[in-house]
């Protein structure tokens, strides 16, 4: 019985060690990739600065490069913040929607339906549903006089 237990534990230990080695290897490779990307961005910024300096002069070129990096940083921060966006608390707890106005209850219900639809569909199905919903709502909201072309 002791030999079987040692055999099982050694197999489990080997699997854990192999898994840890894979994780460490992937972390090191990701860090090297990030370092290479950073170096590439620095040289790209230097090349862009020299090119812009020839076009716009020594004052405007660093301003353009700095503005570009500030814009990229703002977009990255907005992207990171959008990942943490939470729907309204009312939609998260539909039982509390009883004391709300009709419009707020409809908004909460729409958010719940949208969330459930997004959970149940994959990306392509969700895009198709959004396309169909946009087409149908556009047709329903279209003015009667504008639907027919006069060619």
């Amino acid at each position: 019985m002791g030999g079987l237990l040692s055999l099982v534990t050694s197999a489990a230990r080997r699997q854990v060690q192999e898994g840890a080695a894979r994780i460490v290897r992937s972390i090191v490779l990701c860090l090297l990739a990030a370092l290479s990307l950073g170096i590439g961005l620095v040289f790209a910024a230097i090349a862009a600065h020299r090119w812009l300096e020839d076009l716009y002069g020594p004052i405007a070129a660093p301003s353009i490069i700095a503005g570009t990096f500030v814009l990229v940083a703002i977009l990255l921060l907005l992207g990171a913040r959008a990942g943490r966006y939470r729907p309204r608390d009312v939609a998260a707890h539909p039982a509390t929607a009883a004391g709300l106005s009709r419009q707020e209850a409809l908004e909460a219900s729409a958010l719940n339906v949208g969330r459930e639809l997004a959970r149940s569909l994959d990306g392509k199905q969700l895009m198709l549903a959004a396309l169909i919903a946009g087409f149908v709502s556009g047709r329903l909201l279209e003015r009667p006089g504008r639907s027919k072309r006069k060619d």
Side-chain angles (χ1 to χ4, degrees):
M1 185 74 170
L4 180 63
L5 186 61
S6 65
L7 183 64
V8 170
T9 56
S10 67
R13 184 179 303 128
R14 190 174 351 103
Q15 286 180 349
V16 168
Q17 288 173 344
E18 289 172 359
R22 273 194 309 265
I23 290 173
V24 168
R25 190 177 322 123
S26 66
I27 288 173
V28 168
L29 289 176
C30 286
L31 287 174
L32 285 175
L35 181 65
S36 297
L37 179 65
I39 291 170
L41 285 174
V42 167
F43 279 104
I46 291 169
H49 179 269
R50 289 191 177 176
W51 178 65
L52 289 171
E53 194 173 32
D54 289 341
L55 289 176
Y56 298 110
I59 301 295
S63 301
I64 294 170
I65 297 294
T68 303
F69 277 107
V70 167
L71 182 65
V72 167
I74 288 172
L75 290 175
L76 288 173
L77 287 174
L78 288 175
R81 189 172 184 210
R84 292 184 292 161
Y85 174 76
R86 291 184 180 181
R88 292 170 48 181
D89 290 334
V90 173
H93 306 290
T96 61
L100 300 175
S101 71
R102 182 175 180 196
Q103 182 66 26
E104 290 172 337
L106 283 174
E107 289 174 5
S109 175
L111 283 172
N112 281 332
V113 169
R115 184 183 307 115
E116 291 302 319
L117 187 67
R119 285 181 185 161
S120 65
L121 300 176
D122 68 351
K124 291 179 183 177
Q125 292 171 338
L126 192 59
M127 291 289 286
L128 182 62
L131 180 68
I132 292 170
F135 178 76
V136 169
S137 63
R139 290 300 235 170
L140 291 175
L141 295 175
E142 189 174 84
R143 294 183 193 152
R146 297 186 68 190
S147 63
K148 295 183 179 164
R149 290 181 143 182
K150 296 179 182 177
D151 289 332

